[in-house]
Amino acid sequence: MAQILRNHMGRNHNDYNEPSVQPKNPYLVTMEEDILYHFSLSTKTHNLPEMFGDIKFVCVGGSGIRMKAFAQFIHQELKLPGSPEEIKNICEGTDRYCMYKVGPVLSVSHGMGAPSISIMLHELIKLLHHAQCHDVVLLRLGTSGGVGLAPGTVVITDKAVDYSFRPQFEQAILGKVISRSTELDEGVANELLQCSSELQNFPAVVGHTMCVHDFYEGQGRLDGALCSFSHEEKCDYLKKAYEAGVRNIEMESTVLAAMCRVCGLKAAVICVTLLNRFEGDQITSPHDVLVEYQHRPQVLVAHFIKKRLGYIV
C-alpha cells in the first residue's frame, strides 16, 4: 500500500489531464505578490508548487481541533511514515485557520458560517491555483441537524439549497445581488454513496442540504435568545423543507458549492446529523455518542480517498 502512495505522489502534477483550479479574477495575473493573509502564506515567501503541488484531496471542516484529528487519522489510514502526532500546522503564523498536509491530503479548518468559510475558500482556491494543482477534489466534513433522519445518519449532499429551497447562493456585491448555482459534482456524490455501502453499519443517504445564516432562528430553533415564530410555524417550515428534498441543515454548503463550481473545483459535502429536528432543537446525545457520530464523515472520506489512491479495490 505504501508503494501505491509513493507511485501516486511521484507523478508530476502536470501529468494530469484535468484542468487546474482557476480563480475567476483577471486581476490576479497583474499582482507581483499574492498574500494569502489568513493562511500566513505568500507567493513570494513560500514555494507553493513545491509545498502543495501534489495535493489531490482537500478536506475542510469547521473545527481546527477536528481537522487536526482528521489529519492524524488519514495519516494512520494511509500508513505514512513518521508519527501522526508530529504533523505541523502550516498556518501557525495566524490564529484564523489551521492547515495540515498529509501526503496528497490537505486538511483545513473553516470556522462557522458562510462568511468564515468564504474567506478561507478565496485563499484556498488561490493557493491551489498558485501551486498548479490538478484533479483536486474538495470535501467538507461536518455536522448538521437532520430533517426526518435519525441522529448519526450521514448526508451526502446533491444540492445545497437556501432558506427557500432554491439551489443558489446569493451575495450582495457592490450593492447588487449576485446569484450563483450550488449544484455539486454528481459523480463524486455517487462515489461517496457507493463507499458508504461498503462500510458496516453505516447509515447514509443522498439529499439536499439547506444552508442558512445562523444556528438559531435561521434554522427554526425555539431555544435561542430570540424567537419570532411559533412551534407550529417551525414544524410547518421543516415539513416543507422535507417535502422539497432537504435532509439536513447547516451553515456553509451553499457558498462552498457556488465558489467551487465557478472555479472548476469538484466538491462534495458530507455531514452527519446530530439530531432529528422534528423531535427537538437541543443536542442531547451523550458525549461519547456525539464523538462517534462526528467521526463518521471522516471514516467515509478516508475510505473514498483510499479507493481513489488504489489502496482498496
Side-chain angles (χ1 to χ4, degrees):
M1 289 186 179
Q3 184 61 46
I4 292 173
L5 185 57
R6 284 195 292 271
N7 291 342
H8 175 84
M9 294 174 66
R11 295 173 65 182
N12 187 290
H13 53 76
N14 290 320
D15 292 342
Y16 290 85
N17 293 322
E18 289 285 333
S20 61
V21 180
Q22 291 292 342
K24 294 298 186 279
N25 181 355
Y27 294 98
L28 290 180
V29 296
T30 68
M31 297 168 58
E32 292 186 7
E33 178 183 15
D34 192 0
I35 299 171
L36 308 179
Y37 173 73
H38 300 89
F39 286 163
S40 192
L41 296 170
S42 164
T43 53
K44 270 194 174 180
T45 58
H46 297 81
N47 186 335
L48 300 181
E50 183 178 288
M51 293 174 66
F52 301 103
D54 63 339
I55 291 296
K56 298 297 169 211
F57 309 96
V58 179
C59 301
V60 304
S63 163
I65 292 175
R66 193 182 303 162
M67 296 320 293
K68 180 179 181 179
F70 175 73
Q72 293 171 335
F73 175 62
I74 198 66
H75 185 282
Q76 293 172 329
E77 290 292 299
L78 296 180
K79 296 180 170 56
L80 295 176
S83 170
E85 303 301 322
E86 297 175 356
I87 297 173
K88 300 295 184 183
N89 177 14
I90 297 170
C91 299
E92 61 183 0
T94 176
D95 61 356
R96 294 296 182 184
Y97 303 106
C98 298
M99 178 186 293
Y100 304 91
K101 185 177 184 298
V102 182
V105 181
L106 198 63
S107 180
V108 190
S109 68
H110 60 60
M112 283 201 298
S116 182
I117 194 174
S118 171
I119 295 167
M120 188 280 292
L121 285 170
H122 273 281
E123 298 187 15
L124 175 65
I125 289 168
K126 293 195 297 174
L127 169 64
L128 296 172
H129 174 70
H130 293 314
Q132 302 170 32
C133 295
H134 286 249
D135 194 26
V136 179
V137 179
L138 187 146
L139 305 113
R140 165 165 144 70
L141 296 71
T143 57
S144 62
V147 180
L149 296 177
T153 304
V154 173
V155 180
I156 302 162
T157 307
D158 56 0
K159 290 181 182 178
V161 299
D162 65 10
Y163 61 91
S164 294
F165 321 134
R166 299 168 298 180
Q168 65 182 32
F169 173 68
E170 291 185 339
Q171 182 175 9
I173 302 173
L174 301 182
K176 299 177 182 179
V177 176
I178 304 298
S179 177
R180 292 177 173 136
S181 172
T182 55
E183 293 191 24
L184 291 154
D185 190 89
E186 183 179 359
V188 175
N190 288 337
E191 274 189 70
L192 287 162
L193 185 62
Q194 175 59 36
C195 286
S196 72
S197 71
E198 297 164 5
L199 299 170
Q200 291 187 344
N201 302 317
F202 197 92
V205 300
V206 172
H208 298 356
T209 295
M210 183 166 68
C211 179
V212 296
H213 296 309
D214 81 313
F215 187 80
Y216 287 97
E217 284 193 299
Q219 297 192 29
R221 279 186 157 89
L222 303 171
D223 60 340
L226 304 175
C227 186
S228 56
F229 46 86
S230 68
H231 180 269
E232 290 73 20
E233 288 173 316
K234 164 202 165 177
C235 291
D236 183 58
Y237 180 67
L238 291 178
K239 190 178 296 183
K240 289 178 181 178
Y242 185 86
E243 291 170 352
V246 172
R247 294 297 176 265
N248 64 333
I249 308 172
E250 45 89 273
M251 298 180 289
E252 295 86 16
S253 58
T254 51
V255 64
L256 179 147
M259 291 183 67
C260 290
R261 184 179 175 87
V262 169
C263 296
L265 182 58
K266 291 183 178 181
V269 177
I270 308 100
C271 290
V272 68
T273 61
L274 299 183
L275 75 166
N276 182 355
R277 290 296 318 287
F278 281 117
E279 298 177 355
D281 297 330
Q282 298 205 332
I283 299 167
T284 58
S285 297
H287 177 72
D288 59 333
V289 173
L290 291 175
V291 169
E292 194 276 324
Y293 286 169
Q294 293 173 26
H295 191 54
R296 290 182 183 182
Q298 298 187 18
V299 171
L300 178 56
V301 168
H303 190 81
F304 170 85
I305 290 173
K306 290 193 292 183
K307 283 194 72 173
R308 280 278 183 114
L309 293 176
Y311 279 50
I312 302 170
V313 180

